[in-house]
Amino acid sequence: MTGRRVVSDDEVTRAGCHFFLRHGTVDMDGLAAAMCISRATLYRVTHGRDRLLGDVLWRLADRMLAEARRRRTRAGVDGVVEVTHRFAEELLASEPFRRFLTAEPDAAARILLTHAGGLTERVVVTQQEIFREAGLDRAGPDVAYLYVRIIESALYAELVAGRPADLALAERAVRTLLRQLSQLSC
């Protein structure tokens, strides 16, 4: 009788995070070997590389967002933008993330900007929480989605438009959006 190693989705995501931070990607053969499991087992657990990369990128982003939220010093619209700014600066400074964007632009676009990676949905939910923390209760899912897409357009400008990231422009746009929303609620 041969033993098969059983791994959970969480274990694979954790190992995927470590692999990504070392290599700026997730190579399924390399990850399977590092985990001492077969490639078939890895795919059975993850349901594919895009989903795993989405889970890995979300776990890393969620940690960055949590830290940015913890370090927030302002309230209201300024607090929301401060969290975004802290998160965006850390993300753009991440060497593994930059390597991923450069080496795999098609995969990055698919995972970061489409439903394939499941990231946008998770970020929108978190953005709604950040709005609530700042007292912007009227900013529902549609505003959170628009906010996230504006920020993504700046973060991934090089990927989608061949332009350098312009956080200042995105921050001005989201400030305008949130101030308009604040004025409507008065």
Side-chain angles (χ1 to χ4, degrees):
M1 178 184 233
T2 61
R4 284 176 36 164
R5 181 161 179 240
V6 177
V7 296
S8 70
D9 189 49
D10 185 62
E11 288 174 293
V12 170
T13 302
R14 272 189 281 123
C17 287
H18 293 294
F19 196 98
F20 184 87
L21 291 172
R22 279 192 312 272
H23 304 287
T25 190
V26 173
D27 172 73
M28 298 298 271
D29 289 332
L31 180 59
M35 294 186 70
C36 299
I37 61 174
S38 72
R39 189 170 184 237
T41 297
L42 182 60
Y43 273 94
R44 194 171 24 260
V45 172
T46 65
H47 306 289
R49 183 173 184 260
D50 282 1
R51 180 173 167 260
L52 176 58
L53 273 166
D55 290 347
V56 164
L57 292 172
W58 170 247
R59 184 164 296 186
L60 296 172
D62 191 37
R63 289 178 190 160
M64 289 181 200
L65 279 166
E67 179 62 16
R69 290 162 85 174
R70 189 187 67 71
R71 293 179 58 207
R72 174 181 32 220
T73 60
R74 299 179 185 131
V77 170
D78 291 335
V80 170
V81 175
E82 178 186 10
V83 168
T84 300
H85 185 84
R86 288 179 187 278
F87 168 76
E89 280 193 333
E90 186 172 347
L91 184 65
L92 291 174
S94 168
E95 182 61 32
F97 185 70
R98 287 196 336 256
R99 280 196 317 259
F100 174 61
L101 292 178
T102 301
E104 299 185 62
D106 292 339
R110 188 174 58 251
I111 292 160
L112 294 168
L113 301 170
T114 73
H115 185 67
L119 283 169
T120 299
E121 295 84 357
R122 296 172 187 178
V123 175
V124 167
V125 168
T126 301
Q127 190 60 54
Q128 285 178 265
E129 293 170 7
I130 293 167
F131 286 159
R132 280 192 293 276
E133 292 167 0
L136 302 174
D137 297 330
R138 289 192 51 149
D142 291 341
V143 174
Y145 178 80
L146 181 57
Y147 185 98
V148 166
R149 285 302 190 184
I150 290 169
I151 296 302
E152 287 174 340
S153 71
L155 284 174
Y156 312 133
E158 191 169 333
L159 182 66
V160 297
R163 301 172 57 157
D166 189 350
L167 283 179
L169 174 63
E171 287 177 10
R172 285 192 307 273
V174 294
R175 269 187 203 285
T176 300
L177 171 69
L178 296 178
R179 285 191 178 130
Q180 290 295 325
L181 182 68
S182 295
Q183 290 174 359
L184 290 175
S185 62
C186 292

